[in-house]
Each structure stands twice: as C-alpha cells, then as structure tokens.
Amino acid sequence: MAAPPLQYLETLRNSHPELSVWFNDLSDLYQKKLWHQLTLKLEQFLALSVLQAGDTLIQLYHNFIVDFEMKMNPLKLAHFAVIVSRQYATKEASISYLEGVNEKLRATREIRIDEPILYIKMQIAMFKLELGLQKECKKLLDDGKSTLDSMTDIDPSVYATYYWVSSQYHKSRQEFAEFYTNALLYLAYTSVESLSDSFKLDLTFDLSLSALLGDNIYNFGELLAHPIIKSLLGTKVEWLYYILEAFNSGDLIRYQELCRVHKDALNAQPALLANERKLFEKLNILCLLEIIFSRPAEDRTIPLIVIAERTKLSVDDVEHLLMKSLSVHLIEGSIDQVDGIIHVSWVQPRVLGISQVKSLRDRLDAWVNKVHETLVSVEAETPDLVAS
C-alpha cells in the first residue's frame, strides 16, 4: 500500500538529505494546494540527475504524484508519465503503465485531452518499435497523424514527439528520405540547446547520411543552415560536414579530394560504399543545378559540352543526367540534340549557402547597374519625352 504523500516525501528527505530544500518546497506547495506551482517545481525536480537511477521516479509517481495528478495540467502529466515510464525494467511494463495513465486522462473528459493522450501514445509507439513491433508502431503513427490533422494550436512538444518517433520508424526500415524529412521536422519543434551533445552528434550523423543517400534529396541547404550541423565539427566524423558542403555546391573536385583524404573513414560506412554509384549521380545532378544557378536568367541556354566538362561525363551521359533531372522535376526545359544544347526555363528553388547568396547578390548588383544604364540611355535619347 502506498504511503501518504507527505510521509513519502519525508522518507525521501531522509534518503537524500542533500535535497532537503527541494522536498521542503514540494511539501509546502502540496499542503497549500498550489497545483500549478507544484507542477512547475516537479518539472525541475524530475530533471535532477540523482533521480534518474533505479526506480526513484516510479516510486515518486505512485506515492506522491498520483495523489493530485488529475489536478495538474494534463499535458504536463503526460510529460511526467513519459519520463517515469523510462525507468521500468521492461518495455512491456512501461507500455502497461502509460496505457493506465491514458485511461485516467480519457476519464477526465477534458476538452483538449487528445493532446496529452497523443503525446503518451507516441511514447508507447516508441517502445513498440524498440520491441520490434513495427506494424503496431506504424498503426499508432497513422492514428497520431490523423489526430494531429484534426487539431489546432498544438503544443510543440506533441509535434516533436510525433516526428521523432516517425523518424525512428523510418530509420529502422532504412527509408533515408522519410527519416530525413521527419528528423528535420522534429528539430523544427525542438530547442537544440535542450539536447545533449552526444544526442546531437548521433542525430546529425544520421541526418547527414540520409541526406546523401535519400531519394530525391538534392538540396542540403536546410541542413547546412541548421545549428545542429556544427555538432560534427571537431569530431571524428567532421569529414561528413565537408562532404555535405561539396555536394551542396556540386563541387566534384572537392568531393574527390575528400574521398582521398578520408578514405578509411568512408570505407567504414557500408551504406555509402553500397550506394557509391547513386552518390556520384546525385553529385553530378547537384553540379548541373549549380551550373544553371550560376548563370543569369537570360543565359540559360547551355551547351552540353560545358556540362560534360564540369561533370567529367561524356555527352551521352550528360543527356541521361538531364533526363533524370527533368523526370524528378528539378528543372524544366528542352534538349536540342542536334545543336547539343539545353534550354532551361525553370530550376527548382533551393535553400542557399553563404557563397551562393553572395553570387546571387553580385548578379542582382549587375542587374541594377544594367537597369540604370538603360534608364540613362533612354533619358539621353528622348529628352523631350522625359522632361514632359
């Protein structure tokens, strides 16, 4: 039988005298029934490293929090429940505990109860994935997506947990593009400062590999602009950062040099070795996009031989490269095989790096000068019209 809440706090105080101030505050807020302030204090308390070992948090929930859990903000309760669930010895026990909390939440019939229930369901989906139950995890993700689509004004933590679990599901299936998309969406709802250094490094490494290996991912600008990418710098996998830069700028020579310098590290990545041909094709496509982007809009008629020289491909292979780019809608235009040229009418918008933004600025400056020269010329040739 659980001890009364205050008696349990006293027991904890005796076990952890160094935390006496915390227990005094919790006891005081509990007795005054200041549930909101007590919730905020618990949020800080549960993050203490001394409480992360053993089953301390489980006991805290069953002997203290359970007494007033329905007076708490439901989403905060869901956050606490997920933290507590990670201390159970087995994933099955964790799932059983979380399902019990969700039953209590449903019984409250609160207006916005779907939000905390979904948050907990996503943790259940994560546990099922860790148990190898992919189909059950996918079912919970599909249901979660439907719930998200039907809600408005959703807390960022709920979005974050959905996209995190979704990313891990796709990672387990080696679906690189889907992992990349969902992991970036997870980061959109998560403060990078709240993540540990080891977590950031692991996630950035996975994101980088997925960007390289994912189908139809031809722009790494969003990843390179995200602060988490700096996690690679100063580590053993720093080479991956520079490879991403080389791909994003379509720099074939730089990529080949990196491959030579970091040959051993690359050989230690079986996924990169198994997709070497695919990577080379992606790099050539990005080189093509860079060629197009570097040209003014009025100069988008490009000889195939120019592309061949930059990509180190034959003209026949360049035609194949162009067909691939057209088929995945990276560019629009037409190929003139007789004259050996391509007319590009449109290129897919991209997230630009610093060097690419500088290039765009230079082109805008050139355009402004050209407009000014045209204005001066018109004024000189039609003085009477301009004066009137």
Side-chain angles (χ1 to χ4, degrees):
M1 182 175 178
L6 294 177
Q7 182 180 333
Y8 177 71
L9 286 182
E10 185 62 32
T11 302
L12 278 181
R13 185 187 289 109
N14 294 333
S15 302
H16 301 281
E18 74 280 7
L19 300 178
S20 292
V21 174
W22 284 94
F23 295 125
N24 289 339
D25 289 344
L26 292 173
S27 178
D28 184 55
L29 293 170
Y30 174 80
Q31 291 181 81
K32 291 178 179 179
K33 299 183 179 181
L34 298 174
W35 309 124
H36 175 67
Q37 292 87 335
L38 179 56
T39 300
L40 296 179
K41 179 61 68 173
L42 271 172
E43 193 170 26
Q44 300 170 10
F45 184 65
L46 265 60
L48 297 177
S49 57
V50 69
L51 301 176
Q52 306 311 311
D55 66 348
T56 306
L57 297 181
I58 297 174
Q59 297 304 320
L60 181 69
Y61 173 82
H62 288 291
N63 289 284
F64 183 61
I65 297 176
V66 74
D67 187 71
F68 57 91
E69 60 184 345
M70 290 301 110
K71 296 181 177 68
M72 296 168 58
N73 175 291
L75 186 56
K76 290 292 185 185
L77 173 60
H79 289 171
F80 292 170
V82 165
I83 294 171
V84 170
S85 72
R86 293 170 183 152
Q87 283 202 338
Y88 280 90
T90 67
K91 300 291 189 295
E92 291 85 355
S94 299
I95 291 171
S96 178
Y97 160 71
L98 288 175
E99 288 176 340
V101 175
N102 260 356
E103 285 301 316
K104 293 179 184 178
L105 287 169
R106 288 191 189 92
T108 65
R109 300 184 182 277
E110 292 273 350
I111 296 176
R112 292 183 57 83
I113 208 63
D114 286 344
E115 200 172 31
I117 288 175
L118 177 58
Y119 185 87
I120 289 176
K121 276 186 174 181
M122 289 303 97
Q123 184 58 50
I124 292 174
M126 191 69 221
F127 285 137
K128 288 186 178 293
L129 183 62
E130 290 170 355
L131 288 169
L133 305 173
Q134 286 191 356
K135 288 185 178 179
E136 293 184 31
C137 175
K138 183 64 165 62
K139 175 66 167 58
L140 286 168
L141 283 170
D142 290 343
D143 292 345
K145 184 67 169 65
S146 298
T147 303
L148 280 176
D149 290 343
S150 68
M151 296 166 63
T152 57
D153 194 25
I154 303 169
D155 189 86
S157 66
V158 179
Y159 273 122
T161 191
Y162 169 79
Y163 286 120
W164 173 250
V165 177
S166 185
S167 73
Q168 296 308 292
Y169 169 78
H170 291 298
K171 178 183 176 181
S172 71
R173 296 173 59 84
Q174 292 196 318
E175 295 169 345
F176 300 112
E178 291 81 2
F179 167 81
Y180 181 78
T181 300
N182 283 277
L184 280 181
L185 285 168
Y186 162 74
L187 288 172
Y189 292 99
T190 305
S191 168
V192 175
E193 291 74 21
S194 68
L195 306 175
S196 69
D197 290 342
S198 60
F199 182 91
K200 285 189 287 188
L201 179 59
D202 290 343
L203 177 56
T204 308
F205 183 80
D206 289 341
L207 270 168
S208 301
L209 286 184
S210 296
L212 293 170
L213 298 171
D215 292 333
N216 298 325
I217 299 176
Y218 295 100
N219 182 8
F220 306 154
E222 186 176 359
L223 176 58
L224 288 169
H226 199 285
I228 200 172
I229 196 66
K230 301 300 181 184
S231 302
L232 295 175
L233 301 180
T235 70
K236 293 180 180 179
V237 291
E238 186 175 9
W239 53 269
L240 195 51
Y241 174 81
Y242 300 115
I243 283 182
L244 283 175
E245 283 193 325
F247 265 76
N248 198 52
S249 58
D251 192 336
L252 182 62
I253 295 174
R254 173 66 170 154
Y255 173 68
Q256 290 173 334
E257 174 65 15
L258 288 167
C259 288
R260 184 186 65 78
V261 174
H262 302 286
K263 181 179 179 180
D264 292 340
L266 286 164
N267 287 338
Q269 299 299 324
L272 294 180
L273 291 176
N275 291 277
E276 189 173 358
R277 184 182 180 88
K278 180 179 177 180
L279 286 170
F280 191 67
E281 181 185 72
K282 178 176 284 194
L283 179 58
N284 280 323
I285 288 176
L286 288 165
C287 182
L288 168 65
L289 296 179
E290 192 65 21
I291 292 170
I292 298 169
F293 176 78
S294 64
R295 288 172 169 253
E298 68 275 10
D299 185 23
R300 293 282 174 83
T301 298
I302 308 170
L304 301 191
I305 190 66
V306 171
I307 300 173
E309 289 172 356
R310 284 280 297 275
T311 58
K312 312 300 182 187
L313 297 174
S314 67
V315 172
D316 288 342
D317 287 337
V318 167
E319 290 183 6
H320 173 76
L321 189 71
L322 291 171
M323 294 300 293
K324 170 73 174 180
S325 302
L326 288 163
S327 67
V328 296
H329 203 57
L330 290 173
I331 60 174
E332 291 179 0
S334 58
I335 303 173
D336 186 335
Q337 291 180 309
V338 175
D339 293 334
I341 57 176
I342 179 172
H343 305 280
V344 180
S345 57
W346 176 88
V347 61
Q348 187 183 78
R350 306 174 67 194
V351 178
L352 304 181
I354 296 299
S355 61
Q356 293 165 323
V357 170
K358 288 179 180 177
S359 173
L360 182 60
R361 182 196 63 189
D362 293 341
R363 284 159 51 195
L364 285 172
D365 287 343
W367 177 78
V368 169
N369 291 334
K370 186 180 292 185
V371 170
H372 179 69
E373 290 171 1
T374 302
L375 176 61
V376 171
S377 176
V378 170
E379 287 177 342
E381 293 179 10
T382 57
D384 296 337
L385 179 61
V386 172
S388 62

